[in-house]
Every structure is written in C-alpha cells, then in structure tokens.
Amino acid sequence: MSSGSANSAPLGKDRVLYREFRTELDKLNFSSKPIINDLSKRAEINMKSAETVIKAIEDHLHFTARTNKLPAFFLLDSIAKNVGGMYISLLHGRIGKIFIDIWRSVDDGVKRELERTLKTWRHGFIGGQRNLFPEFVLRKIEEDVNRLKAKAKETTQMLPEANGDDLLDNLTGLQSHAKKRARQEHQQSIQRAVTAKADSYSSAAHRDRRHSDKRQRTPDRGK
C-alpha cells in the first residue's frame, strides 16, 4: 500500500475492519459468490463503519491487478443492492469514478460485464420500481462510457485494417522480400569482386604490354 493510503487509513476498531476486508479482498481473484456473500454480510453488520468498508474496496481496486477488478466491483454491486442504506449514500459521489477507472483498465470482455451491471442499476432495483443510484449519477456514467467507446472507435479506425490471414500474408511477404534483397546484395557483392579482379588483370596486362613495347623501341647499343 502506498504511503498516501496508509496515512488516510482508519484508526482504532475501524483499522482492524479495514485490514480484515483488505485481507479477504486479496482472496477475491475470481468471482467467488461465497466470498462476495460473506463480505456483503460483514458490510451489513458493520453499517456504522460503511466508510471504512468502502475505502477498503476502493484501495483494493486501485492496487489490485486488472484481472481482479471485476470481482471486487461485483462486491460493491452486491453491497449496494443487498445492504443499501448508508452505502448507497456514500457511493453517490464515488461510484462514477470507480466505474470509469475500472473501465479504462480492463479488456472488452470485462467492459461488457460492467455495462450489463450498469443496466441493472437503472430500474433494476426493488423489482424495477426505481434506480439503484440517482438518475444524474447513472447518466454521467453512461455519458462517460459512450465517450470512451467513441474515442476507442476513432483510434481503431485510424489503424490499418488487417485480420490474422492478412497479417500472416504481410509477414510472409516481408520475409520473402528480405530474402530476395539479401540474394541481390550477395550477387552484387560477387559481381563487384569479379569486376575488381578483372580490372586487376587488365591493369597488369596493360603494364606488361607497355613494358614489352618499351623494350622493342630501345636500340641495342652493343651492335
């Protein structure tokens, strides 16, 4: 845990509750219904320490691996739906940030689960009679999600389209091109060596001819 979280950790009996929740949350590395139900019941028993319970979940979400975020989110959903009360009030101003922070860090499969859960918060509470959270809270989450989805779509459209076969064909093409280039460079290297050797022979032959011609033109002084 970072020093910032440690400095703001609860004191006294709430500190014990905070640590117990954090310990149990570390075990929640998959959507375990027994663990979620048990922690939801403990949250209900400790309603007077609702702030401590929510803080423990928030800190866990912040520090845990992204693959463990969905189970902790399901725990928050369970507490809000099955316990309610002060937890709903405390989450009004925080659930939006919690939701979007998780959204930004997870893959598309988890995002679909988040959206599915979000829909149950609208007219899915107490037999569809009312929203789990106020309308303005849900609307803001939906707007933020739509904005992030639109931004992701724009980014995807800017990338070259290619399926698995296309990528394989491109890779094969690059490898073939590299081999062809290597062969060409090798052939050019051989050609340069042959040319250099030929030029060497030609220069030597030219020097021999000049030397021979010079000897033929020089008179024999002994005669």
Side-chain angles (χ1 to χ4, degrees):
M1 190 186 308
S2 70
S3 60
S5 292
N7 291 337
S8 58
L11 301 175
K13 294 175 63 176
D14 281 351
R15 174 182 289 181
V16 175
L17 178 64
Y18 174 88
R19 289 177 175 172
E20 289 177 349
F21 254 84
R22 288 298 303 273
T23 299
E24 291 302 311
L25 284 165
D26 286 338
K27 301 175 184 177
L28 197 59
N29 51 21
F30 67 101
S31 296
S32 170
K33 190 172 182 179
I35 296 177
I36 290 175
N37 288 342
D38 179 64
L39 288 175
S40 296
K41 290 177 182 178
R42 293 177 67 177
E44 183 175 13
I45 294 171
N46 292 280
M47 179 77 76
K48 292 182 180 180
S49 299
E51 173 65 35
T52 299
V53 172
I54 291 179
K55 177 168 178 51
I57 299 174
E58 283 181 315
D59 288 351
H60 174 77
L61 283 167
H62 180 73
F63 291 107
T64 194
R66 64 178 184 175
T67 53
N68 296 339
K69 292 183 185 293
L70 186 60
F73 174 77
F74 283 158
L75 172 61
L76 266 183
D77 176 70
S78 173
I79 292 173
K81 289 176 178 174
N82 299 313
V83 181
M86 188 177 294
Y87 289 101
I88 296 292
S89 301
L90 290 173
L91 285 170
H92 280 183
R94 301 152 86 161
I95 194 63
K97 183 178 186 306
I98 292 172
F99 190 100
I100 296 302
D101 284 349
I102 297 173
W103 178 280
R104 291 178 185 275
S105 66
V106 297
D107 59 32
D108 290 341
V110 176
K111 288 176 181 176
R112 285 191 291 271
E113 289 295 322
L114 292 173
E115 282 194 279
R116 183 190 64 78
T117 303
L118 177 59
K119 290 178 181 178
T120 68
W121 292 353
R122 184 183 291 283
H123 307 302
F125 186 52
I126 309 182
Q129 296 177 18
R130 63 182 176 86
N131 295 343
L132 180 60
F133 297 105
E135 176 65 24
F136 74 90
V137 173
L138 298 179
R139 188 185 306 117
K140 179 65 166 59
I141 296 174
E142 291 166 347
E143 289 173 354
D144 288 344
V145 167
N146 289 333
R147 175 176 53 81
L148 291 172
K149 290 169 72 173
K151 186 176 181 180
K153 185 176 181 180
E154 290 176 3
T155 302
T156 302
Q157 290 175 344
M158 293 174 63
L159 298 174
E161 295 184 3
N163 57 31
D165 292 337
D166 292 335
L167 291 174
L168 182 59
D169 290 342
N170 291 339
L171 179 59
T172 302
L174 288 172
Q175 291 174 336
S176 177
H177 177 73
K179 290 179 180 178
K180 183 178 179 180
R181 180 73 177 272
R183 285 197 300 269
Q184 290 176 342
E185 291 180 351
H186 182 62
Q187 291 172 351
Q188 290 172 357
S189 176
I190 293 175
Q191 185 63 42
R192 286 194 296 269
V194 170
T195 301
K197 195 70 172 177
D199 289 344
S200 176
Y201 288 149
S202 177
S203 296
H206 182 65
R207 286 195 300 272
D208 290 344
R209 284 197 300 272
R210 288 180 60 188
H211 183 67
S212 177
D213 291 344
K214 184 176 180 180
R215 291 180 59 187
Q216 291 176 0
R217 289 195 301 268
T218 302
D220 188 352
R221 296 182 181 181
K223 292 181 179 181

